[in-house]
Amino acid sequence: MASPDTSTEPRLPPEIEQIIFLLLASSDPATISTLLLVNSRVKDWIEPRRFRSLSFSSNKAVVLLANAKSPVFLSQHVTYFSVHFDCPNVSGAFEILSLCSGLTDLALWHYDTKNSLPDSSTLPRLRHLILASRPARQLCKSFQTGPELTFPVTHFEFNLSELSSLEPYILTRFPNLTHLLLVWDFTAIDEKHILKIIEADSIQLLIIAIIASHAKAHRDNMLEEHPTLVHPKVSFRFFDSWAKEWDLRVGGDQSVWTRDKID
């Protein structure tokens, strides 16, 4: 009787085996660390998926991990990049950011004035930009004093309090912009800036995101005080956390941008 085959080589064609492992990594990202240990062949397939999203927060290991990869690898495989408020090494994160030329999505909740914000020349594929207050102010400053930077993004998010400063530049420095999300930070709403945005033919949707208890009551008060916000292009969303919503979108949930979504 022939002995059973104990070979460790795959019995499926390699391309089928690759599809199976990639589907497993996509459906359950928590398994990626384990899959990397299967063998070198599987590691080559899975590692780009592991680096698809780089999030710099309190985890100091992320900077070390990313620094171990070549600039070519980072430019080819990193598409989502975020720097959070609790990032302990902002300069290190921005050094890595300068190597990730293939980004489609960038979220900056933290910023250091020693670093410069990227533009279309370094991020030609960028489509989605999130800026908290400090990086938004730095961007506005660069618009005022620096060269005429433009950004290829179609979706832009920032705090509502920064709208009065950024509004003069939005339609000129973001020529591809179609969707705008403003995070209400309990500041007074200046309707004239919002009206200028939604009156532009290129803008399809403007979302006001409310991160607060009794969010619907806040929305109702806004609409009562500012009836011009009752507009086909204006919608409201209620978030528990801006960063949490970002993580959901990295995971593939783009429902925030659905016009007919009703909170």
Side-chain angles (χ1 to χ4, degrees):
M1 179 182 295
S3 60
D5 183 7
T6 59
S7 171
T8 59
E9 288 301 308
R11 299 183 183 182
L12 292 172
E15 59 272 18
I16 302 300
E17 188 185 42
Q18 181 181 13
I19 291 173
I20 293 172
F21 277 104
L22 289 176
L23 285 174
L24 179 58
S26 297
S27 61
D28 188 3
T31 65
I32 289 178
S33 297
T34 302
L35 296 176
L36 291 171
L37 303 176
V38 173
N39 56 39
S40 60
R41 178 181 64 256
V42 174
K43 182 180 179 181
D44 289 342
W45 295 336
I46 299 299
E47 197 163 39
R49 188 62 58 91
R50 181 190 194 185
F51 282 88
R52 178 171 174 259
S53 173
L54 285 181
S55 179
F56 295 86
S57 57
S58 58
N59 185 359
K60 298 180 181 180
V62 177
V63 172
L64 297 174
L65 191 66
N67 273 327
K69 308 309 295 182
S70 72
V72 172
F73 181 94
L74 294 174
S75 67
Q76 289 179 344
H77 300 297
V78 180
T79 56
Y80 296 86
F81 196 102
S82 61
V83 181
H84 290 261
F85 290 116
D86 56 351
C87 176
N89 186 355
V90 178
S91 294
F94 269 76
E95 287 178 10
I96 295 168
L97 172 60
S98 67
L99 302 176
C100 300
S101 58
L103 291 185
T104 60
D105 294 63
L106 173 62
L108 299 177
W109 283 280
H110 196 7
Y111 182 73
D112 188 324
T113 54
K114 298 176 183 177
N115 309 115
S116 58
L117 291 171
D119 60 66
S120 58
S121 65
T122 56
L123 295 175
R125 296 176 55 199
L126 189 65
R127 295 295 176 266
H128 183 188
L129 178 63
I130 293 179
L131 298 179
S133 290
R134 287 186 65 192
R137 290 170 194 158
Q138 182 62 28
L139 178 64
C140 187
K141 183 178 179 180
S142 68
F143 284 158
Q144 295 168 345
T145 61
E148 292 213 3
L149 300 174
T150 59
F151 293 81
V153 300
T154 56
H155 295 62
F156 186 21
E157 304 180 31
F158 57 90
N159 284 312
L160 181 59
S161 57
E162 308 303 326
L163 180 61
S164 60
S165 300
L166 283 171
E167 181 268 317
Y169 305 101
I170 285 177
L171 298 177
T172 56
R173 302 300 182 90
F174 300 86
N176 300 329
L177 189 66
T178 58
H179 291 67
L180 191 66
L181 187 147
L182 305 175
V183 178
W184 182 58
D185 42 10
F186 295 90
T187 56
I189 294 178
D190 191 333
E191 292 180 66
K192 67 177 183 292
H193 296 296
I194 292 180
L195 287 175
K196 285 183 180 180
I197 298 296
I198 60 179
E199 286 173 356
D201 292 338
S202 59
I203 300 299
Q204 299 176 15
L205 182 64
L206 185 147
I207 294 172
I208 298 177
I210 300 176
I211 307 172
S213 57
H214 310 294
K216 292 184 179 181
H218 286 300
R219 183 224 18 220
D220 294 342
N221 289 336
M222 283 186 199
L223 294 176
E224 183 176 347
E225 294 176 11
H226 306 283
T228 55
L229 295 181
V230 182
H231 190 282
K233 288 186 179 182
V234 178
S235 185
F236 286 82
R237 299 289 184 269
F238 307 136
F239 290 172
D240 294 326
S241 161
W242 196 5
K244 180 180 177 181
E245 289 292 330
W246 155 262
D247 290 337
L248 291 174
R249 279 173 267 170
V250 170
D253 181 3
Q254 298 296 320
S255 62
V256 67
W257 297 114
T258 303
R259 181 188 299 277
D260 57 0
K261 176 177 167 54
I262 300 176
D263 286 309

